[in-house]
Amino acid sequence: MRAQERGLIEIAAINIRDFAPGKHRVVDDLPFGGGEGMLMKAEPIIRAIESRKQLGKISRVILLTPQGKRFQQEIARELSGWEQLILVCGRYEGVDERVREHFIDEEISIGDYVLNGGEVAALVVVEAASRLIPGVLGNEASAQNDSFSQGLLDYPQYTRPRELRGIPVPEVLLSGHHQHIELWRKKEALRRTWERRPEFLKQRELGEEDRRILEEIKRTDR
Ligand code: 4GX
């Protein structure tokens, strides 16, 4: 059964337009001082936030914006601990600065590219954070095994057939030698991390064995 049906999480989409007055329910306006494009009006956003806070849950109010702190696994972990996240999604060129200053707890960016609105960014945050709530993950092999939980990229993985269009599975994985397999996986994870995300290795303090394996990789790699 899904996490929502099991009562582990509840996701509600709130339409800011429902909090805008008048027949036309206007949520955008021109920027003071002139310039390109439109901004989100403050009052409908504030009312929408308040409508969720009234539910009495301990809430974190987050604005999705390219100006925010870069979303990472660590932030997903922190956010997964809040009773309620209120994810504010802007459209147009942004939101009135007074909303940001007085009604937003935290600004998050999912990456250095430009989206049309914050909605897809909010979905990314919802998916990354909710799967860290105990019981949500379908496969209880769990978040312990994820990329990043160890500070390393994943090792290469294979399933049947043993030979795919002439391409074999690495022999060691078929050997049944659990210790050899563990060592191979550790080495390949370190190799990939060294090649693709070397900054991970500087952040993480390596154990004796890891350092030895890494030196071997550097020595023997092309
Ligand atoms: N990671 N966008 C938000 C409109 C906007 C601008 C400023 C509030 C303040 C994005 C990202 C992202 C585009 C979402 C601009 N709203 N959000 N939108 N990258 O590009 O989170």
Side-chain angles (χ1 to χ4, degrees):
M1 212 190 355
R2 297 186 180 283
Q4 282 210 78
E5 295 163 11
R6 287 186 288 158
L8 294 170
I9 59 173
E10 183 196 347
I11 299 171
I14 308 303
N15 188 352
I16 289 170
R17 206 176 260 284
D18 292 344
F19 299 86
K23 192 177 78 170
H24 300 289
R25 303 195 304 166
V26 176
V27 294
D28 63 334
D29 208 342
L30 297 162
F32 279 123
E36 280 295 295
M38 302 294 273
L39 295 177
M40 304 273 296
K41 292 173 73 63
E43 203 54 71
I45 299 176
I46 295 166
R47 289 205 198 106
I49 292 170
E50 285 171 344
S51 77
R52 299 313 292 182
K53 283 199 162 171
Q54 275 169 14
L55 303 180
K57 298 205 169 108
I58 301 164
S59 302
R60 188 78 168 159
V61 182
I62 295 160
L63 178 67
L64 287 310
T65 166
Q67 276 80 53
K69 183 172 178 192
R70 171 71 61 82
F71 189 56
Q72 304 233 274
Q73 189 66 15
E74 187 191 340
I75 300 178
R77 217 170 290 122
E78 287 164 18
L79 295 183
S80 70
W82 287 83
E83 198 175 1
Q84 174 169 254
L85 302 178
I86 300 174
L87 300 165
V88 179
C89 306
R91 285 260 154 175
Y92 317 112
E93 273 53 66
V95 305
D96 187 298
E97 182 67 8
R98 293 165 295 185
V99 171
R100 197 195 59 72
E101 276 184 344
H102 298 282
F103 299 91
I104 299 292
D105 297 321
E106 181 175 354
E107 294 169 78
I108 289 177
S109 166
I110 63 160
D112 294 338
Y113 36 77
V114 182
L115 305 170
N116 262 334
E119 294 85 357
V120 166
L123 285 180
V124 168
V125 170
V126 165
E127 181 152 341
S130 57
R131 64 187 290 286
L132 298 176
I133 294 168
V136 168
L137 255 190
N139 171 11
E140 295 308 311
S142 93
Q144 293 295 103
N145 290 336
D146 292 347
S147 298
F148 305 126
S149 75
Q150 317 257 36
L152 294 179
L153 299 181
D154 282 346
Y155 50 76
Q157 300 184 89
Y158 302 83
T159 185
R160 291 186 293 180
R162 293 169 66 129
E163 189 173 305
L164 170 78
R165 302 190 180 202
I167 312 163
V169 168
E171 190 62 41
V172 61
L173 299 179
L174 310 174
S175 69
H177 280 103
H178 190 63
Q179 283 190 338
H180 290 184
I181 292 168
E182 284 308 297
L183 188 62
W184 182 87
R185 285 178 169 167
K186 168 68 76 62
K187 185 173 181 181
E188 294 308 314
L190 281 164
R191 185 201 310 281
R192 280 193 165 180
T193 309
W194 167 250
E195 286 173 355
R196 301 181 187 188
R197 304 299 297 271
E199 73 275 17
F200 285 5
L201 296 174
K202 280 149 200 159
Q203 288 155 20
R204 172 183 194 263
E205 78 291 301
L206 296 173
E208 181 73 28
E209 189 195 52
D210 289 14
R211 261 183 284 123
R212 206 200 72 240
I213 298 170
L214 193 55
E215 286 316 309
E216 163 133 342
I217 291 167
K218 293 184 195 175
R219 193 164 50 73
T220 55
D221 253 26
R222 21 207 162 246

